[in-house]
Amino acid sequence: MPDLFSPVTVGKWTLPNRIAMAPMTRSRADASGVPGEATATYYRQRATAGLIITEGVQPSATGQGYSNTPGLHTRRQVGGWRAVADGVHEEGGHIVAQIMHAGRIAHPDNKNGHETVAPSALAAPGEMFTPSGPRPHPVPRALTTAEIPSVIEEYVDSARAAVEAGLDGIELHGANGYLIHQFLAPSTNHRTDTYGGSTTGRARFAIDLATAVAEAVGSERVGLRISPGINLHGAIEDDPAETAATYRTLIDAIAPLGLAYLHTIGDPATPLLTDLRTRFDGTLIVNDGWYPMTDATAARRHIDSGRADLVSVGRAFIANPDLVRRWQNHTPVTEPDPTTFYGGDTRGYTDYTDYTTLAD
């Protein structure tokens, strides 16, 4: 029987353990979306994770949501990610870039005035933090049917850039109310063309996108993250039957592609996620969600139960770059400082101490 610290093969990678570092926005890139030296240090410090999934990386200037998030659509950005990949690989780790088009969860002030686009012209609830303070989400421009292939091509180009930078692969962010999820959720997709109007139509963008990216860089380098029924950022999926039909359509269509993994948010014991695992029949990474913070006991339970092949862990990795060793050796973990999660300098980013250093 596998345990949390046993090796696992995922796609083309042999990983040393089953603990993945979850994608977490940190907003430390420069104004041009280039990850710098501190970002390379941050990921290198956490290379003992079985797999690192980076923070969301925008595939285009239009796709940016938050300020100071990194991109993968310019030569300078590729150079920044090459330094990240090199550092992680020198420590024996594996790292994939999470490609995240924010869709309507954005504001022009965070992306040099670029427009905001989405499946439908519906503003997201709440406000977006900008350099001038919180601002209401603007009403996005609805994408035309004719331009959707160009948006898919942005993802494809970004995936190719990730491979060029030396990253091990990519994860498509289809969760948490961002663009892919906005196509999937009935509250954010009011389209009447082939990309809306039914469970099949709402799933089509994600299917077409996963297919195109897999063809471009190899399915063994591609993962997909989903969050059925999480209801974040106004992407509401509150009809269980309709939600199940949408995600079954999606998973049934992508299962033959042979993707590296599926990454889910929510209790993997729920009937829908249990069913989707059976339909995908490939490597499954699970994430409990936000509360409570995932600990070693919860992670072990998911692996021991057979409901997951890997467990992704977020905030615990922020404050514990050597989290794998701490869990394995039953040593104390440090609590992260939430005031340093987004933006700022190296404080709360690269200054957390390795436990082995403390022990010395």
Side-chain angles (χ1 to χ4, degrees):
M1 290 290 291
D3 63 41
L4 195 58
F5 306 103
S6 64
V8 60
T9 299
V10 179
K12 62 183 298 183
W13 321 305
T14 299
L15 308 180
N17 60 69
R18 296 165 184 261
I19 305 169
M21 177 175 165
M24 293 173 286
T25 297
R26 302 306 308 273
S27 294
R28 257 74 170 195
D30 71 13
S32 298
V34 178
E37 182 179 348
T39 298
T41 299
Y42 169 74
Y43 286 115
R44 181 175 189 147
Q45 288 173 336
R46 290 153 179 82
T48 52
L51 178 67
I52 293 173
I53 308 168
T54 74
E55 61 212 278
V57 178
Q58 58 262 14
S60 65
T62 300
Q64 183 171 356
Y66 305 102
S67 60
N68 294 105
T69 53
L72 251 175
H73 56 91
T74 72
R75 302 312 306 168
R76 289 188 59 226
Q77 291 166 357
V78 170
W81 283 112
R82 184 174 293 114
V84 172
D86 288 348
V88 170
H89 291 155
E90 286 168 7
E91 298 296 328
H94 292 78
I95 181 169
V96 299
Q98 186 193 68
I99 302 181
M100 171 185 142
H101 190 305
R104 70 179 192 160
I105 309 302
H107 195 281
D109 289 358
N110 290 345
K111 49 183 176 178
N112 297 315
H114 287 281
E115 69 172 341
T116 294
V117 297
S120 300
L122 302 165
E127 297 178 318
M128 167 63 68
F129 188 82
T130 74
S132 58
R135 303 283 298 278
H137 289 105
V139 176
R141 180 177 66 79
L143 290 162
T144 67
T145 307
E147 68 184 312
I148 286 178
S150 68
V151 176
I152 291 175
E153 193 60 28
E154 290 176 355
Y155 280 89
V156 168
D157 290 343
S158 190
R160 288 187 174 124
V163 173
E164 179 187 345
L167 296 162
D168 295 293
I170 65 99
E171 176 179 281
L172 297 172
H173 194 353
N176 297 352
Y178 299 111
L179 184 67
I180 299 173
H181 198 187
Q182 290 161 28
F183 273 94
L184 290 166
S187 69
T188 48
N189 184 344
H190 290 187
R191 304 177 72 91
T192 57
D193 64 356
T194 55
Y195 287 97
S198 67
T199 56
T200 300
R202 288 195 297 273
R204 182 180 174 188
F205 179 75
I207 294 166
D208 288 357
L209 176 56
T211 302
V213 172
E215 289 177 351
V217 300
S219 60
E220 73 280 2
R221 288 192 175 100
V222 180
L224 171 66
R225 194 182 208 203
I226 58 172
S227 57
I230 290 296
N231 298 337
L232 190 66
H233 291 143
I236 307 301
E237 297 164 322
D238 56 3
D239 182 323
E242 187 173 46
T243 301
T246 300
Y247 284 92
R248 286 169 180 154
T249 298
L250 169 59
I251 299 305
D252 286 350
I254 66 168
L257 297 176
L259 299 186
Y261 64 83
L262 179 68
H263 185 184
T264 63
I265 301 175
D267 182 354
T270 61
L272 178 55
L273 291 185
T274 299
D275 179 49
L276 296 182
R277 174 172 174 75
T278 302
R279 290 169 182 268
F280 183 69
D281 193 30
T283 297
L284 180 67
I285 303 176
V286 305
N287 185 284
D288 285 326
W290 293 269
Y291 300 102
M293 191 169 76
T294 303
D295 60 16
T297 300
R300 285 189 179 94
R301 183 174 66 249
H302 292 318
I303 299 300
D304 293 346
S305 70
R307 294 193 178 100
D309 299 298
L310 293 92
V311 177
S312 73
V313 182
R315 287 162 295 171
F317 259 118
I318 289 178
N320 301 276
D322 57 338
L323 182 68
V324 174
R325 287 194 294 269
R326 294 193 190 214
W327 280 5
Q328 195 164 22
N329 297 329
H330 305 282
T331 51
V333 296
T334 302
E335 290 293 319
D337 177 4
T339 67
T340 63
F341 282 176
Y342 308 111
D345 52 22
T346 58
R347 188 172 68 87
Y349 192 51
T350 60
D351 63 344
Y352 286 106
T353 306
D354 189 301
Y355 183 80
T356 57
T357 302
L358 291 175
D360 291 344

